[in-house]
Amino acid sequence: MLTTGGCPKNMLSIKDALDALEGRWKLLILFALSSGPKRFKQLSKEVGGITDKTLSKELKNLEVNKLVKRTVYDTFPPTVEYTITAHGTSLEKVMEELHYWGLAHRKTIIGN
Amino acid sequence: MLTTGGCPKNMLSIKDALDALEGRWKLLILFALSSGPKRFKQLSKEVGGITDKTLSKELKNLEVNKLVKRTVYDTFPPTVEYTITAHGTSLEKVMEELHYWGLAHRKTIIGN
């Protein structure tokens, strides 16, 4: 087991991951983008409960961490689209495990 | 792939998981406890960079979510120990995937 022994070196990489994914929104945004590129308003609707200011801030941070790509199309008016990168897609297993654990957690705590 | 299609039902369970694990400390605390029960000061040292106030708050929240058990031993002075629960241990795969992704992320972004 990875966690048996709680090796400090493993703790470092988990810290790196948590720093990049910090907060409750980033994984949800990436999850929404995993079904295809989206525009800001569409993304906001799918994630749900996020303010425009927060979504904008989170998208910028995801861009810096190379998890999301922002593309501006030369239309009139200009169209902006957000796409998940290959590095973002590599979070799939993390999301999958969180999904399964979330289901188990709901059973344990919330009870339905 | 779980994430292909970004099914809103999967999004719900991921939200549940992120709500329970919110912030940068909870998984690190659980990871430190995965090597065995620990006292407050020992835990604080292993997690690193966390204030006593925050650690105390996080431990209370982890108790409410049945991820950590707090045991008081009838010694003089009383001894308090924190143990990871079976539900907490069930996060192992999440931590494992975060560990692997953290390593890859360091390579991609930090470059070492």
Side-chain angles (χ1 to χ4, degrees):
Chain A
M1 291 211 309
L2 166 77
T3 52
T4 306
C7 166
K9 220 177 153 187
N10 293 344
M11 174 100 76
L12 248 185
S13 53
I14 295 178
K15 265 190 183 173
D16 282 346
L18 293 177
D19 278 349
L21 306 172
E22 153 281 319
R24 54 166 302 172
W25 297 114
K26 293 189 185 68
L27 278 172
L28 294 176
I29 293 167
L30 292 172
F31 182 70
L33 288 177
S34 68
S35 61
K38 293 197 167 64
R39 296 181 60 179
F40 190 92
K41 279 288 163 207
Q42 197 181 351
L43 197 50
S44 163
K45 202 178 148 195
E46 278 196 28
V47 172
I50 190 169
T51 63
D52 283 1
K53 195 181 159 190
T54 303
L55 180 54
S56 167
K57 198 191 75 191
E58 295 287 21
L59 282 168
K60 266 180 203 144
N61 185 296
L62 288 168
E63 251 194 289
V64 170
N65 276 307
K66 295 185 185 167
L67 296 163
V68 161
K69 198 174 162 272
R70 181 177 183 272
T71 314
V72 184
Y73 292 101
D74 187 14
T75 52
F76 186 81
T79 319
V80 180
E81 219 176 47
Y82 296 91
T83 316
I84 192 167
T85 63
H87 186 45
T89 308
S90 75
L91 275 163
E92 206 210 350
K93 279 192 176 172
V94 170
M95 292 196 248
E96 206 169 280
E97 291 304 336
L98 276 174
H99 159 68
Y100 291 130
W101 190 82
L103 286 178
H105 182 63
R106 181 166 279 260
K107 261 195 188 165
T108 307
I109 299 295
I110 311 169
N112 58 40
Chain B
M1 290 212 310
L2 166 78
T3 52
T4 305
C7 165
K9 220 178 154 186
N10 293 344
M11 175 99 78
L12 247 186
S13 53
I14 295 178
K15 265 190 183 172
D16 283 346
L18 293 177
D19 277 349
L21 306 172
E22 153 278 320
R24 55 165 300 171
W25 297 114
K26 292 188 186 68
L27 278 172
L28 294 178
I29 294 168
L30 292 172
F31 181 70
L33 288 177
S34 68
S35 61
K38 292 197 168 60
R39 295 180 62 178
F40 190 91
K41 279 289 164 204
Q42 197 180 354
L43 197 50
S44 163
K45 202 179 148 195
E46 278 197 28
V47 172
I50 190 169
T51 63
D52 284 0
K53 196 180 159 190
T54 304
L55 180 54
S56 168
K57 198 191 76 193
E58 296 287 20
L59 282 168
K60 267 180 203 143
N61 185 296
L62 288 169
E63 252 194 290
V64 169
N65 276 307
K66 295 185 187 169
L67 295 164
V68 161
K69 197 174 161 273
R70 181 178 183 270
T71 315
V72 183
Y73 292 101
D74 186 14
T75 52
F76 186 81
T79 319
V80 180
E81 220 176 46
Y82 296 91
T83 316
I84 191 167
T85 63
H87 187 44
T89 309
S90 75
L91 275 163
E92 206 209 350
K93 280 192 176 172
V94 171
M95 292 196 248
E96 206 168 279
E97 291 305 335
L98 275 174
H99 159 69
Y100 291 130
W101 190 83
L103 287 179
H105 181 63
R106 181 167 278 258
K107 263 195 187 162
T108 308
I109 300 295
I110 312 171
N112 60 39

